[in-house]
Amino acid sequence: LQLRWLFATSLFDRRTIERMAASFDALLDAVIATPDTAVAELDLLPPQDRAQLAASTMPATQALPEQCAHEL
């Protein structure tokens, strides 16, 4: 399968389209690997994007003080 991505350069930069193409590639890989899985349950992100997203959305845990809020 060969695809050619055409896009409006006034709306998107090349890096964005490359990431979009990588996501589409990851989706196709998931469809091929697990054809009986519903599309809604398939991975849409390549592994490096998934790791980056997880790192940016998971705040570092902090120990909570053992005091009530009104005592702080």
Side-chain angles (χ1 to χ4, degrees), residues 1-66:
L1 179 63
Q2 188 175 39
L3 297 174
R4 181 174 169 191
W5 293 83
L6 300 175
F7 61 97
T9 56
S10 61
L11 299 175
F12 301 100
D13 63 16
R14 182 182 180 123
R15 179 67 186 126
T16 300
I17 299 304
E18 288 172 349
R19 285 182 28 238
M20 199 178 298
S23 292
F24 188 70
D25 189 47
L27 176 61
L28 291 179
D29 286 344
V31 168
I32 291 167
T34 56
D36 294 329
T37 302
V39 173
E41 296 176 14
L42 295 173
D43 287 329
L44 297 177
L45 294 175
Q48 65 273 17
D49 286 353
R50 192 176 317 108
Q52 181 182 5
L53 182 62
S56 68
T57 58
M58 299 296 288
T61 57
Q62 296 178 349
L64 296 175
E66 294 190 23

